[in-house]
């Protein structure tokens, strides 16, 4: 089974598109979509309840209040289905390409010792993902630091531990670094896995805080490396975005 884990907080505008895209991923194995509503104060939970009538493989978890994205992901991991073999983390405002995770899952067939995969991300204006919209060929493609382009063996997650709730930004990068530190067996492929939706409320809209979060994640990695020089090299998963591509990313209009 593939379990797609989605934390959601006040995601009423985008949650339907995200969940439906998760439902169109693979026919290789059963797929379960699990969403943790992190104390939303809008209609996110109501929209999920409606979606559940359409998607029998959608499971909803609830937090009593807003605890943060790391806490929501930790809750999702704590409630993994016993049959889960592979896990994908996804964000409530993004959209998978149809069948994109087949590319990631095929990497485990090629190299059975693979612990996790990583594909590419295309950054698009939100309006391009609306009905009648289309993806511009000029939309930048990159290896982002988000986890959403990865598929992970469920038994490998136990080695990594929980998401760091002290990190307001960069918690996904920190988790990705810890995965890379734990194994050399990761498969990096060039297929685009998902569309990163640019809109006004993106976490990445505040680039100062994003850079600060990434720097803190790298500092934590450096401390772990100093304590244990034998951890695996993480170079292959570090973002290598050239200035021109980054300018294109920041120039993408949010559309909302």
């Amino acid at each position: 089974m593939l379990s797609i884990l989605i934390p959601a907080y006040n995601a009423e505008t985008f949650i339907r598109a995200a969940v439906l895209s998760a439902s169109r991923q693979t026919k290789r194995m059963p797929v379960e979509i699990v969403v943790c509503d992190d104390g939303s104060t809008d209609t996110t939970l109501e929209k999920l309840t409606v979606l559940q009538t359409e998607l029998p493989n959608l499971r909803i978890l609830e937090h009593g209040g807003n605890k943060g994205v790391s806490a929501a992901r930790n809750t999702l991991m704590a409630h993994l289905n016993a049959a889960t073999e592979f896990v994908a983390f996804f964000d409530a405002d993004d959209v998978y390409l149809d069948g994109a995770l087949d590319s990631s899952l095929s990497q485990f067939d090629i190299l059975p010792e693979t612990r996790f995969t990583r594909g590419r991300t295309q950054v698009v204006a939100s309006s391009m993902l609306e009905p009648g919209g289309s993806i511009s060929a000029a939309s930048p493609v990159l290896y982002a630091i988000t986890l959403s382009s990865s598929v992970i063996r469920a038994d490998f997650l136990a080695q990594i531990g929980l998401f760091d709730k002290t990190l307001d930004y960069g918690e996904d990068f920190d988790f990705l670094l810890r995965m890379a530190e734990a194994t050399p067996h990761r498969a990096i492929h060039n297929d685009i896995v998902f569309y990163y939706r640019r809109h006004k409320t993106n976490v990445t809209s505040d680039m100062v805080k994003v850079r600060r979060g990434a720097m803190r994640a790298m500092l934590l990695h450096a401390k772990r490396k100093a304590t244990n020089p034998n951890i695996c090299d993480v170079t292959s998963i570090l973002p290598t975005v050239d200035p021109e591509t980054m300018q294109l990313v920041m120039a993408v209009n949010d559309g909302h």
Side-chain angles (χ1 to χ4, degrees):
M1 174 181 285
L2 168 67
S3 290
I4 301 176
L5 310 182
I6 306 176
Y9 174 68
N10 288 352
E12 62 181 3
T13 304
F14 306 122
I15 189 64
R16 181 177 178 85
V19 170
L20 288 177
S21 75
S23 73
R24 299 190 296 265
Q25 281 314 295
T26 184
K27 295 182 179 178
R28 294 169 51 116
M29 64 184 68
V31 176
E32 179 185 50
I33 304 162
V34 192
V35 182
C36 179
D37 180 71
D38 189 33
S40 295
T41 57
D42 63 2
T43 62
T44 297
L45 189 56
E46 289 87 338
K47 290 183 181 297
L48 286 169
T49 302
V50 171
L51 269 169
Q52 202 170 37
T53 66
E54 304 173 32
L55 301 173
N57 60 336
L58 171 61
R59 186 155 55 100
I60 304 169
L61 306 176
E62 297 180 49
H63 274 172
N66 180 232
K67 299 180 181 180
V69 64
S70 290
R73 290 193 182 114
N74 290 341
T75 294
L76 286 161
M77 287 197 292
H79 290 82
L80 275 183
N81 192 304
T84 298
E85 184 179 2
F86 298 100
V87 171
F89 293 101
F90 201 54
D91 289 336
D93 54 351
D94 294 327
V95 172
Y96 279 121
L97 279 70
D98 285 359
L101 292 188
D102 276 331
S103 296
S104 298
L105 290 167
S106 68
Q107 302 299 315
F108 297 98
D109 297 332
I110 298 168
L111 293 170
E113 67 269 27
T114 296
R115 300 289 91 191
F116 71 93
T117 68
R118 187 171 180 226
R120 305 186 81 182
T121 302
Q122 188 162 22
V123 182
V124 303
S126 187
S127 57
M128 294 179 185
L129 297 173
E130 301 301 326
S134 60
I135 305 301
S136 168
S139 297
V141 176
L142 64 156
Y143 288 112
I145 62 176
T146 175
L147 277 170
S148 295
S149 61
S150 296
V151 174
I152 309 156
R153 285 196 184 275
D155 57 5
F156 178 60
L157 282 180
Q159 300 178 40
I160 310 306
L162 300 175
F163 283 83
D164 188 342
K165 293 189 289 185
T166 70
L167 294 175
D168 294 327
Y169 291 84
E171 79 293 329
D172 52 351
F173 186 32
D174 173 68
F175 198 84
L176 188 61
L177 286 169
R178 286 190 279 135
M179 288 200 306
E181 291 167 10
T183 181
H185 302 300
R186 58 254 192 179
I188 314 299
H189 64 85
N190 288 318
D191 291 343
I192 299 170
V193 174
F194 78 103
Y195 298 123
Y196 181 92
R197 185 196 293 264
R198 288 278 288 172
H199 56 89
K200 290 181 180 178
T201 56
N202 277 133
V203 170
T204 52
S205 296
D206 191 333
M207 288 307 298
V208 173
K209 291 182 178 178
V210 169
R211 291 191 186 99
R212 189 177 299 149
M215 289 176 63
R216 186 174 175 195
M218 286 301 298
L219 177 60
L220 291 170
H221 163 67
K223 288 181 177 179
R224 291 190 294 269
K225 183 72 172 176
T227 301
N228 179 12
N230 295 319
I231 62 175
C232 297
D233 181 72
V234 302
T235 306
S236 68
I237 61 93
L238 293 178
T240 54
V241 183
D242 60 83
E244 183 178 348
T245 300
M246 183 53 68
Q247 287 182 351
L248 290 173
V249 169
M250 299 311 298
V252 174
N253 294 319
D254 62 28
H256 272 273

